[in-house]
Amino acid sequence: MPDLTDDEYEALEEEVTKNPPKVSGDGTGGFFAQHQRETLIFLDQVSATWLRVQSEVTHKTQTEIIGELVREKIAAKTSA
């Protein structure tokens, strides 16, 4: 997603505040559930398609795939 101007960011923030995204979860309201509700991820079309296909092929959730990618990047940085 391209960088947002201040006006675009404020408009997006207002839209999300007025219409919060619905998320699934266990409803316990614990730290991780709260953190998950506050995390929004915007992907370009290529990334979204790749993620969806990988999810179908590997039978993993998109969240699991993103987590694995992040951990791989962290491991690569710490071992360099």
Side-chain angles (χ1 to χ4, degrees):
M1 181 171 167
D3 290 335
L4 299 175
T5 66
D6 288 342
D7 289 339
E8 290 170 328
Y9 176 81
E10 288 175 16
L12 177 61
E13 182 178 32
E14 184 176 336
E15 177 66 24
V16 172
T17 300
K18 288 181 179 179
N19 303 295
K22 297 190 183 345
V23 296
S24 61
D26 63 3
T28 62
F31 171 77
F32 293 107
Q34 179 66 30
H35 182 70
Q36 180 181 6
R37 277 190 292 258
E38 295 175 358
T39 303
L40 296 177
I41 299 174
F42 296 95
L43 300 173
D44 58 68
Q45 191 61 42
V46 172
S47 299
T49 300
W50 180 87
L51 189 57
R52 181 184 49 77
V53 169
Q54 289 300 309
S55 180
E56 291 172 5
V57 169
T58 62
H59 304 289
K60 295 179 181 179
T61 67
Q62 294 178 9
T63 301
E64 289 172 321
I65 294 168
I66 291 170
E68 289 174 359
L69 292 170
V70 169
R71 286 187 287 280
E72 287 174 11
K73 288 294 239 181
I74 291 170
K77 289 285 185 181
T78 57
S79 66

